[in-house]
């Protein structure tokens, strides 16, 4: 790191969301950066944000990166700073990186989860031009917090300024021989089954149905699909269920599985309708609170855990071992659709129960999971922050929150000012 290395890298993705990032950054962001040493860059192709971030950190000129784009752009940056590149080159060495977010994507799940409930800071008001509208002011919360940190604590210890530590989830895909074929880091969501299928279909609909509407159409197309896979959920030791928590709607709290979990594995048998995990967020769209307890029952900052949401048809009292296509259709319409739409109702899906009191949705807080696909080709889909990959036949996928350095993976401390 160079002496006085305080440059800010500004990465603008012109292709994000409504494709207004360049205009909005010039109008709202750059005027706030007066007096701050920054480098303005624009992405030119998929993956370019990661290249820019990697080169900047490696240069030693600074450790703060402002990302003007969506969750996908942040995903590119995270992967470039944590994983080896395609040529086997290790990521640039950095103990800490500060992310500054200017939301310009479609869903902006990370930004909404971090900042939608952050009250305006009176100490930031003098930084905002008087003619700034409410929506622009909302989008500037992260930028304002960062600028305030630079203006108020130059050369001083910034530890007393409000900040959040972000978790990074590493997904590894294995082939039938047990060799890792791909690695990707998620900063928002890692999933299989329905969610991965929805993203896979939604990408095919991108040109014909722009915006968030394509995700609802994709959900309807895949709602009746089941996945006869097996999942192992593990806790702090990376092997057993030690430290795994489960949401209990009757007590409205995350409770420990107890001492019996310390030497045992937690295995969930299929079929699955829905399986998803998140880090850092309580939603995947502005009002789709799929992991609402992340906020309402927040884990300690820096706790290195993920939220896991599971929907299994076998928990329904009327479930039969032998099921027909009509059973899938009925479950999709009457149960799965109901649960997912309840997520739009402030995350009320986690409290839904069957008549016998059994919870419809299983909700876990854990360190990671292992997914072994079933016979269906669709069960081999795995999604990492919107990027959909296919598990090789006979293979599996694992996902865990990064807590230590391993070969080719850097345990990077990433924080945001709030």
């Amino acid at each position: 790191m160079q002496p006085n290395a305080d440059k800010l890298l500004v990465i603008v993705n012109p292709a994000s969301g409504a494709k207004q990032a360049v205009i909005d950054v010039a109008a709202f962001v750059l005027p706030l950066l007066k007096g701050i040493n920054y480098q303005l860059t624009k992405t030119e192709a998929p993956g370019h944000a990661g290249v820019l971030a990697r080169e900047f950190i490696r240069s030693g000129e600074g450790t703060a990166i402002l990302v003007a784009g969506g969750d996908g752009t942040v995903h590119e940056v995270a992967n470039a700073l944590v994983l080896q590149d395609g040529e086997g080159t290790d990521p640039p060495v950095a103990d800490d990186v500060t992310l500054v977010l200017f939301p310009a994507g479609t869903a902006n799940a990370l930004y909404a989860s971090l900042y939608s409930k952050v009250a305006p800071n009176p100490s930031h008001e003098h930084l905002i031009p008087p003619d700034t509208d409410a929506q622009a002011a909302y989008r500037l919360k992260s930028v304002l917090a960062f600028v305030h940190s630079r203006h108020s604590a130059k050369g001083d210890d910034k530890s007393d300024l409000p900040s959040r530590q972000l978790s990074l989830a590493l997904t590894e895909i294995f082939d039938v021989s047990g060799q890792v074929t791909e690695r990707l880091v998620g900063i928002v969501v890692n999933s299989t089954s329905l969610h991965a299928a929805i993203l896979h279909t939604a990408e095919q609909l991108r040109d014909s149905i722009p915006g968030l509407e394509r995700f609802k159409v994709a959900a309807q197309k895949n709602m009746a699909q089941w996945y006869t896979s097996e999942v192992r959920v593990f806790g702090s030791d990376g092997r057993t269920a030690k430290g795994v928590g489960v949401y209990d709607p009757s007590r409205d709290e995350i409770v420990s599985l107890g001492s019996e979990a310390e030497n045992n594995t937690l295995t969930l048998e299929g079929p699955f309708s829905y399986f998803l995990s998140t880090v850092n967020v309580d939603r995947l769209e502005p009002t789709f609170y799929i992991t609402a307890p992340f906020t309402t029952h927040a884990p300690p900052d820096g706790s290195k855990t993920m939220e896991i949401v599971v929907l299994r048809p076998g928990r329904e009292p009327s479930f039969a071992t032998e099921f027909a296509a009509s059973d899938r259709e009925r479950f999709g319409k009457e149960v799965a659709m109901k649960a997912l739409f309840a997520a739009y109702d402030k995350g009320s899906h986690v409290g839904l129960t069957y008549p016998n009191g059994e919870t419809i949705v299983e909700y876990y807080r854990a360190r990671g999971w292992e997914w072994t696909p079933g016979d269906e080709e669709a069960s081999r889909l795995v999604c990492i922050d919107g990027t959909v990959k296919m598990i090789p036949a006979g293979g599996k996928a694992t996902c865990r929150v990064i807590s230590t350095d391993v070969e080719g993976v850097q345990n990077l401390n990433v924080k945001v000012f709030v």
Side-chain angles (χ1 to χ4, degrees), residues 376-388:
E376 313 86 1
E377 182 174 312
S379 71
R380 290 162 47 204
L381 293 173
V382 59
C383 172
I384 306 95
D385 286 350
T387 298
V388 180

Side-chain angles (χ1 to χ4, degrees), residues 15-71:
S16 286
K19 301 182 180 180
Q20 293 292 307
V22 173
I23 295 173
D24 289 348
V25 166
F28 302 118
V29 176
L30 298 186
L32 297 175
L33 300 183
K34 291 180 180 178
I36 292 177
N37 181 19
Y38 71 87
Q39 175 186 347
L40 178 64
T41 61
K42 299 177 187 177
T43 62
E44 299 175 356
H48 191 205
V51 173
L52 294 170
R54 183 184 282 258
E55 291 176 349
F56 175 71
I57 297 298
R58 185 166 283 139
S59 74
E61 295 182 275
T63 58
I65 301 174
L66 190 157
V67 179
D71 296 317

Side-chain angles (χ1 to χ4, degrees), residues 268-345:
L268 308 179
E269 301 286 349
F272 291 83
S273 173
Y274 196 82
F275 183 88
L276 168 148
S277 66
T278 67
V279 289
N280 308 312
V281 304
D282 61 2
R283 71 199 78 185
L284 297 182
E285 299 171 19
T287 59
F288 185 62
Y289 293 89
I290 191 63
T291 47
F294 176 75
T295 296
T296 60
H297 301 74
D301 188 35
S303 62
K304 304 291 186 180
T305 56
M306 62 174 60
E307 313 292 291
I308 300 176
V309 178
V310 186
L311 187 57
R312 290 190 290 166
R315 292 171 66 83
E316 187 185 29
S318 61
F319 178 81
T321 304
E322 298 295 328
F323 46 84
S326 58
D327 296 317
R328 299 173 186 255
E329 294 283 351
R330 180 196 58 76
F331 183 87
K333 292 179 180 179
E334 297 180 5
V335 182
M337 189 76 78
K338 175 183 176 182
L340 293 181
F341 272 99
Y344 286 98
D345 181 24

Side-chain angles (χ1 to χ4, degrees), residues 31 54 110 144 175 208 230 235 250 254 289 297 337 386 416 418:
R54 183 184 282 258
L110 181 61
L144 289 168
D175 62 19
S208 59
E230 180 181 278
S250 67
I254 303 285
Y289 293 89
H297 301 74
M337 189 76 78
V416 294
V418 293

